[in-house]
Amino acid sequence: MSDLRRLEVSEVGDVTVVRFVDRKILDAANIQELGDELFALVESEERKTLLLNFTNVEFLSSAALNKLIILDKKVKAVSGKLKLSNLKTEIREVFAITRLDQLFDIKDDEADALAAF
Amino acid sequence: MSNQTWSFDQRIPNDTSVGRELLDELVVQLKRAEWSEHDVHGVHLSVEEALVNAIKHGNNEDPDTSVHVVFKVSAAEILIQITDQGEGFDPHEVPDPTLDENLAVPSGRGLMLMKAFMSVVHYNDKGNQVIMEKVKN
């Protein structure tokens, strides 16, 4: 994919590993762009096995969570797999409070996540 | 509030970038008042959600409107009051996003995060003003 602004994408075997450029995922325009880039991975590039690595992320709002929920639906619609890893304590707490840790498969680190596909 | 270390009481333009600059200053002041990283994150997230609600949903992103923001910070307590110029809403009508049937619905999490991280979250009767308090444990 060309011209990615919000994501860094790499391949590890069959898994597409996605890292976020922004430390704080807040701004509405950035979140829109982030969603568009994530959705294109599934819909345009037909990638079905995705790992989102949150190493860089210190803060994300509910608007960003909504994009992840939509991504999860898109991945499930193509019978793909989506995992999350490397969430900082505060971000993990946000997933726990919202019970999104029940919706998403969250692993401690990238190696754990890759081994679990 | 006793031993107040910082306060802010102004109308700001209906612009999230202005709100975010103000939030950055709030974070600086919370750290100066020796609030923990965990509490600072929770308050930061709650005010972010409340400001976005006011600007996007309350004032419908109308650039001719404004948001009245009040912050009062001390080492023991934080008070936040955010008022928009919209019609207001009934917070009780926001579906619980943690119910199984709503888990995959992409909305309604801002308000619940505010309630989770703050000690008190109260809306006025009209529903266009939120008052949030955080008391240090």
Side-chain angles (χ1 to χ4, degrees):
Chain A
M1 177 188 252
S2 59
D3 298 333
L4 283 175
R5 287 157 53 97
R6 309 263 73 93
L7 306 177
E8 294 169 0
V9 176
S10 59
E11 304 288 335
V12 180
D14 296 334
V15 181
T16 298
V17 178
V18 179
R19 289 177 184 237
F20 299 91
V21 170
D22 301 297
R23 285 191 307 117
K24 294 183 179 181
I25 304 177
L26 281 173
D27 179 77
N30 287 357
I31 290 173
Q32 182 66 37
E33 207 168 41
L34 176 86
D36 291 345
E37 291 182 9
L38 284 170
F39 304 159
L41 290 174
V42 181
E43 294 178 326
S44 305
E45 302 197 13
E46 299 180 349
R47 298 174 192 243
K48 292 184 175 180
T49 310
L50 268 66
L51 167 58
L52 306 185
N53 182 327
F54 281 77
T55 288
N56 300 331
V57 180
E58 294 177 357
F59 195 101
L60 82 168
S61 67
S62 66
L65 292 175
N66 292 340
K67 295 296 182 188
L68 298 179
I69 292 167
I70 296 168
L71 175 69
D72 180 63
K73 284 185 182 174
K74 291 182 185 296
V75 171
K76 283 176 176 156
V78 296
S79 303
K81 289 179 183 172
L82 173 65
K83 296 186 192 300
L84 279 51
S85 76
N86 298 77
L87 277 69
K88 293 196 190 318
T89 307
E90 285 83 2
I91 307 285
R92 184 114 192 188
E93 185 182 16
V94 167
F95 277 80
I97 289 167
T98 54
R99 282 192 71 222
L100 288 176
D101 56 352
Q102 308 291 309
L103 187 70
F104 294 102
D105 187 7
I106 301 174
K107 301 295 183 189
D108 286 345
D109 57 37
E110 192 171 307
D112 279 355
L114 287 171
F117 276 109
Chain B
M1 184 185 293
S2 61
N3 299 317
Q4 191 169 298
T5 56
W6 183 68
S7 67
F8 178 94
D9 184 344
Q10 278 184 37
R11 287 195 166 277
I12 64 166
N14 201 56
D15 181 339
T16 50
S17 62
V18 176
R20 218 150 272 143
E21 284 174 22
L22 185 54
L23 247 175
D24 288 344
E25 175 64 16
L26 174 64
V27 167
V28 168
Q29 296 297 337
L30 293 177
K31 289 179 178 173
R32 186 174 290 171
E34 298 185 342
W35 284 80
S36 69
E37 286 290 330
H38 178 263
D39 284 342
V40 171
H41 176 265
V43 173
H44 187 179
L45 185 54
S46 300
V47 178
E48 163 73 20
E49 299 289 348
L51 276 173
V52 169
N53 283 347
I55 292 167
K56 262 185 85 173
H57 305 301
N59 286 342
N60 278 321
E61 301 187 78
D62 180 349
D64 294 330
T65 59
S66 62
V67 179
H68 183 199
V69 179
V70 178
F71 295 145
K72 292 179 182 176
V73 174
S74 78
E77 193 182 353
I78 303 160
L79 179 93
I80 290 143
Q81 179 183 301
I82 294 171
T83 312
D84 62 58
Q85 296 177 303
E87 298 297 313
F89 80 111
D90 183 352
H92 301 103
E93 287 185 3
V94 177
D96 181 350
T98 63
L99 296 177
D100 284 343
E101 61 266 34
N102 295 333
L103 216 49
V105 177
S107 65
R109 287 176 180 77
L111 182 58
M112 82 152 304
L113 287 168
M114 290 156 60
K115 287 178 178 170
F117 283 112
M118 302 300 290
S119 310
V120 174
V121 176
H122 172 76
Y123 277 86
N124 66 352
D125 288 343
K126 186 179 175 186
N128 71 329
Q129 179 184 74
V130 62
I131 295 173
M132 301 190 286
E133 292 174 36
K134 179 81 176 173
V135 179
K136 198 175 278 183
N137 291 327

